[in-house]
Amino acid sequence: MPLPLQVPIIEDEVILARYPFLPQSSDFQRKLATENSISLDVLLDSERMEETRTRGRLRLVESISNKGGVDAVSMRDIHTEEGRLLESFSYSYARLVVCASEQEVLISRWAQAEAERAERLLREDDVALPIIAQTYLSDIKLITHAGRGDWQVGLSDFIEICPKITGERWRLVNHDVIDGKVMLGDKRMDSQQQLARLLRERIKQQIMEDALRRMGEVTDDLAVRLAEAVGMAGNLIQQASSERLELSGIEQGDWPPCMRKAVRELDAGINVNHFGRLFLASISATIGIEQSACAEFFANAPDYNAETTSYQIGHVYDRAYTPAGCPKLKLNACCAVQPGDDSLCDQPWMDHPMKYLKAQQRRRKREEQVIEETSD
């Protein structure tokens, strides 16, 4: 379901600055720019905006390093004009950098981190939560009884968003539905926490769509002026990816294509389905990858939660799940190749990823033996 056609008016400047991705924040930021004579040149080059650019780069560093999203605490008091300026324009600067990078992986990670930051804030922000919920959800209602408020969200909104989030609590069957509305809240997450988690998905989607649209508006001159910041972000991405893939045991070149596909998609922020995640965890356990290293594979997943991921992976490792074979991987859209893409996968006896891995290891040993004999 699309976002509401009409968004509520927000006059609270603290909300507009704290959540700078809101569609209502655009006019506020233009007002700030006019009142403080902040042009694009000033934002990019002036000495007085250096702290803002530093904060913007920090937003990017934290998004790439996967430390739970961008720091929710401003470097300045957001209840002051200086603090609101800092938050609003540091977001704008970070957005300029990711758009100039033309890297969808960076855009996805940045959007994920900003959305996670918003979720953490909204879990506690009783003032902003209702109006932001009305901005991103078409049917939302707060029911108060016995001094307690419980949120209800429209069935269509819930059905659209919940498949993007893993966990049994997000299945419709585990919620009460009354008059077309889904009752939020359970033993582990209260109503406000669940609403904030749902909003995170909509917020990330909007941030990404906005950045991808703006990416096409980046001029050559702007790209040159942002080249240093873009290079910094690109280097951090490359370093982070390398660290996640530097694993002991089996060489990466031996991994079956289905395993590489799952790792690559998770690294890019793509929502790998439950079967694919279970397969990745089980084959990682089977080939001796450490649990902590396996958990790193999931760090960029759209619904990543460190505690939940660690628990689920631990469950797979403790139960010693057997990795799925090729027929089941194909059935669940987890196979990475088509006929002719990989000669080893085309072999009639190739029906399991572990056979692929063992065949690769035998080939590697033969090559090493030939090299050793040649050198003698």
Side-chain angles (χ1 to χ4, degrees):
M1 173 172 287
L3 299 179
L5 296 177
Q6 290 187 327
V7 296
I9 296 173
I10 301 178
E11 296 180 349
D12 189 332
E13 293 189 351
V14 170
I15 294 178
L16 295 171
R18 181 170 282 151
Y19 305 96
F21 49 80
L22 289 169
Q24 298 95 321
S25 292
S26 298
D27 290 339
F28 169 66
Q29 290 169 10
R30 281 192 286 269
K31 174 175 171 286
L32 282 181
T34 300
E35 292 176 349
N36 293 274
S37 301
I38 301 175
S39 63
L40 179 61
D41 290 337
V42 170
L43 177 60
L44 295 183
D45 301 319
S46 73
E47 184 177 345
R48 71 183 173 104
M49 299 298 286
E50 179 56 35
E51 185 179 7
T52 299
R53 292 192 293 272
T54 299
R55 170 69 172 161
R57 288 191 290 269
L58 180 61
R59 296 177 96 112
L60 290 176
V61 169
E62 290 175 343
S63 66
I64 295 169
S65 60
N66 291 302
K67 295 181 179 178
V70 178
D71 184 7
V73 181
S74 305
M75 293 190 294
R76 294 271 190 90
D77 183 359
I78 202 168
H79 293 278
T80 67
E81 184 175 359
E82 291 80 7
R84 292 192 289 274
L85 276 168
L86 180 67
E87 282 303 283
S88 294
F89 287 99
S90 65
Y91 175 86
S92 297
Y93 180 78
R95 183 176 60 194
L96 281 171
V97 174
V98 298
C99 291
S101 75
E102 297 184 337
Q103 296 184 45
E104 292 193 21
V105 170
L106 177 55
I107 292 175
S108 176
R109 291 188 185 180
W110 170 69
Q112 175 73 14
E114 291 286 351
E116 287 181 4
R117 167 189 178 273
E119 179 193 356
R120 293 203 311 277
L121 289 170
L122 290 171
R123 282 171 173 245
E124 309 294 335
D125 196 339
D126 296 330
V127 175
L129 181 65
I131 200 163
I132 291 179
Q134 294 173 46
T135 300
Y136 290 104
L137 298 171
S138 59
D139 190 5
I140 186 76
K141 187 176 182 180
L142 178 64
I143 303 297
T144 303
H145 54 86
R148 169 185 166 183
D150 287 319
W151 287 97
Q152 301 177 349
V153 62
L155 184 61
S156 57
D157 281 314
F158 187 85
I159 289 175
E160 179 187 338
I161 297 173
C162 70
K164 302 174 185 177
I165 311 176
T166 59
E168 288 301 312
R169 70 164 57 91
W170 299 107
R171 306 289 74 84
L172 183 60
V173 70
N174 293 320
H175 289 266
D176 292 330
V177 180
I178 302 176
D179 296 329
K181 290 186 175 61
V182 180
M183 311 294 290
L184 300 182
D186 59 28
K187 293 180 180 180
R188 292 183 59 187
M189 293 182 74
D190 64 29
S191 178
Q192 180 160 337
Q193 291 172 334
Q194 280 206 343
L195 178 57
R197 181 63 185 87
L198 289 171
L199 289 172
R200 173 176 136 189
E201 292 301 320
R202 281 280 169 86
I203 290 167
K204 178 186 177 182
Q205 176 187 352
Q206 188 208 353
I207 292 175
M208 282 198 65
E209 290 176 354
D210 178 55
L212 291 171
R213 176 180 59 80
R214 292 173 183 270
M215 187 171 68
E217 300 172 358
V218 175
T219 64
D220 291 341
D221 175 67
L222 181 57
V224 170
R225 297 170 71 179
L226 291 168
E228 183 178 353
V230 169
M232 175 273 296
N235 289 336
L236 283 174
I237 279 190
Q238 188 173 23
Q239 179 182 349
S241 297
S242 298
E243 289 174 354
R244 277 191 291 274
L245 295 177
E246 286 177 358
L247 303 170
S248 59
I250 306 299
E251 293 192 30
Q252 296 171 37
D254 294 338
W255 292 356
C258 43
M259 182 180 179
R260 294 198 299 269
K261 174 180 184 287
V263 172
R264 183 174 62 252
E265 290 183 347
L266 286 167
D267 195 49
I270 297 173
N271 190 32
V272 173
N273 64 30
H274 174 73
F275 191 90
R277 296 182 186 213
L278 177 60
F279 164 71
L280 179 57
S282 60
I283 195 169
S284 296
T286 302
I287 66 178
I289 292 176
E290 294 290 336
Q291 281 187 227
S292 59
C294 179
E296 284 297 310
F297 288 144
F298 297 86
N300 282 336
D303 55 354
Y304 176 72
N305 177 282
E307 182 180 353
T308 301
T309 299
S310 178
Y311 170 79
Q312 292 175 339
I313 290 175
H315 181 78
V316 173
Y317 273 63
D318 291 342
R319 297 292 183 91
Y321 278 69
T322 300
C326 297
K328 288 187 177 180
L329 287 167
K330 291 176 181 178
L331 183 63
N332 288 276
C334 296
C335 180
V337 298
Q338 296 292 330
D341 290 345
D342 188 307
S343 59
L344 190 51
C345 288
D346 288 337
Q347 299 302 312
W349 49 266
M350 181 57 67
D351 59 4
H352 199 284
M354 291 303 297
K355 289 186 178 181
Y356 185 101
L357 193 148
K358 291 174 181 177
Q360 286 286 78
Q361 289 181 306
R362 288 194 297 268
R363 177 191 59 78
R364 189 178 299 281
K365 287 181 180 179
R366 287 196 299 270
E367 291 176 351
E368 291 174 352
Q369 184 177 2
V370 170
I371 293 174
E372 184 178 343
E373 292 173 352
T374 303
S375 60
D376 291 342

